[in-house]
Amino acid sequence: MEIVEGNNVYNKITDRHDILYILLGGTTRVSTIPGISAAGASPELTKLTPVLDSEIISEGKCISYDVVPMTEEGIPTPSIITRGANEVSGINTLIMDAGFIQDPAIPFIKTSLGSAGDGSKERALQFYERAKAYGSYLGNLLDGRYKFIFLAESVPGGTTTAHTVLSSIGIGEMTSSSMKNSPDAIKESFTARALERTGQLPGYNDSVAEFGDYMMAISLGISSVIKKSTLFYAGGTQMATVFYLDRLINGNNNRYVFTTGYIMKDKDKLMRKLAGQSVLYANMNFSGITGLKYYDEGYVKEGTGFGAAFGISYLLGNNTDSIYSNIKKVYRSFLK
């Protein structure tokens, strides 16, 4: 079986200098609802996960806090995988503030947008247009300077905001979850309250502004101006949702979703419904790495674009043994 499958656009990925990986890290008050997200040891700590993910991907360690983002079961953040794969591939990386609650201790693009709100109680994105403007500004700077731009996310609670946005535009299928057993009932209850709050909305932009997160808005802004580069949404059902919205709002075509085999096993029908044949995915097996082996059992599935990071490294000619070995090295560095 191939490591990377799906749309054969991957045959064009041959030079690391052609590639830019962007992590959009942010928070939403949705993640603090008990049972919604496993992207942290507790609901409150989910707000710190994007800060620490950014530091791990950029520097290979947590700087702001002496703690590794983990699920309540002790399963580590996928940013460890992303860091390990990106080190091997040597691609350029960029961190952007898509709603940090505090600044990570690394170089990054600051927006000061703040956390997205709870869409069941209030308009989630008070600065929706400003967020899109930040995205379009960055997109204009980058377009054509890299052949391939990958947008990844660290937004705990983001599969719930994605589900609510999709439901508001008539797609009621459940998004994926970082938990092995998805909290579908909690997500459905949240979505029902959110839709009851607003009633019928006039357009797709309104759905994102009312129920989404700033990662979505910035991504849509970036994509709105990208004409020369090829854009990949690196992630699972969250990023496939943005891909779908991008088609509806911006009308763009030269876009793809790059995800994991775990997501395709879990949500193939939804991924195909949102992205059609424009899906690539990397098959991985972490059975030999303590902690990460739980990924093979249905936990986490995606996050910080680790499927794309692994796939890129493989496509650039690195053998899987070297990629797994470096991921293991990064993982072990957090056990000291």
Side-chain angles (χ1 to χ4, degrees):
M1 179 179 290
E2 293 179 84
I3 298 298
V4 177
E5 298 183 347
N7 192 294
N8 63 7
V9 69
Y10 62 70
N11 290 323
K12 299 178 181 179
I13 300 174
T14 58
D15 188 334
R16 70 180 182 87
H17 298 99
D18 292 338
I19 301 166
L20 177 65
Y21 163 98
I22 302 174
L23 181 77
L24 300 172
T27 55
T28 165
R29 294 193 185 101
V30 174
S31 75
T32 63
I33 297 171
I36 281 283
S37 176
S42 70
E44 195 63 23
L45 287 175
T46 60
K47 296 188 294 186
L48 300 179
T49 297
V51 172
L52 298 178
D53 278 342
S54 299
E55 293 174 352
I56 290 169
I57 289 168
S58 180
E59 300 297 327
K61 59 184 177 181
C62 297
I63 304 172
S64 297
Y65 297 92
D66 187 21
V67 61
V68 181
M70 293 190 181
T71 69
E72 293 180 6
E73 297 84 4
I75 303 166
T77 172
S79 61
I80 288 173
I81 302 171
T82 301
R83 169 67 185 190
N86 284 353
E87 274 190 329
V88 175
S89 65
I91 61 175
N92 287 323
T93 62
L94 177 70
I95 307 296
M96 187 170 188
D97 171 12
F100 286 137
I101 63 160
Q102 73 173 65
D103 293 352
I106 55 168
F108 72 102
I109 296 177
K110 185 170 182 173
T111 65
S112 299
L113 291 165
S115 179
D118 180 337
S120 71
K121 299 176 180 177
E122 61 188 347
R123 181 181 171 92
L125 306 185
Q126 298 297 323
F127 307 114
Y128 175 64
E129 292 299 334
R130 186 190 303 177
K132 286 183 69 177
Y134 275 117
S136 61
Y137 177 80
L138 179 63
N140 272 318
L141 291 177
L142 297 176
D143 190 26
R145 288 170 172 78
Y146 291 90
K147 288 184 180 179
F148 308 108
I149 298 172
F150 287 79
L151 300 180
E153 58 75 29
S154 175
V155 184
T159 61
T160 300
T161 59
H163 176 256
T164 306
V165 171
L166 288 175
S167 296
S168 73
I169 61 175
I171 299 177
E173 292 182 41
M174 184 52 65
T175 49
S176 192
S177 171
S178 55
M179 302 178 188
K180 185 174 183 178
N181 298 311
S182 179
D184 293 354
I186 300 175
K187 287 183 172 183
E188 291 285 15
S189 177
F190 174 88
T191 295
R193 295 195 305 274
L195 297 181
E196 183 178 6
R197 178 182 66 81
T198 63
Q200 185 66 38
L201 294 170
Y204 305 123
N205 280 294
D206 302 275
S207 292
V208 179
E210 292 291 344
F211 311 125
D213 53 64
Y214 284 118
M215 177 278 291
M216 292 182 178
I218 292 174
S219 295
L220 290 169
I222 292 172
S223 183
S224 70
V225 297
I226 294 292
K227 307 299 180 186
K228 301 172 185 174
S229 302
T230 298
L231 190 63
F232 290 84
Y233 292 102
T237 53
Q238 278 176 266
M239 299 312 275
T241 296
V242 186
F243 173 97
Y244 187 75
L245 292 166
D246 187 14
R247 283 272 177 92
L248 295 174
I249 294 171
N250 294 323
N252 287 322
N253 288 312
N254 193 26
R255 307 287 184 263
Y256 300 90
V257 177
F258 204 140
T259 189
T260 68
Y262 304 125
I263 283 289
M264 298 309 293
K265 180 179 179 181
D266 184 51
K267 294 292 179 183
D268 180 86
K269 180 181 177 183
L270 178 59
M271 293 294 286
R272 296 299 183 187
K273 186 169 188 174
L274 296 176
Q277 298 304 308
S278 299
V279 177
L280 299 81
Y281 55 98
N283 290 306
M284 290 157 281
N285 184 325
F286 294 109
S287 59
I289 306 176
T290 304
L292 294 180
K293 67 182 182 181
Y294 291 102
Y295 285 49
D296 297 332
E297 298 175 12
Y299 293 92
V300 185
K301 306 179 189 71
E302 247 295 1
T304 68
F306 83 85
F310 192 101
I312 291 166
S313 191
Y314 172 75
L315 293 171
L316 292 178
N318 298 296
N319 64 56
T320 55
D321 287 343
S322 66
I323 303 171
Y324 283 121
S325 177
N326 201 59
I327 291 169
K328 186 183 294 186
K329 183 194 76 173
V330 173
Y331 173 69
R332 286 177 173 170
S333 73
F334 287 95
L335 303 179
K336 297 177 181 177

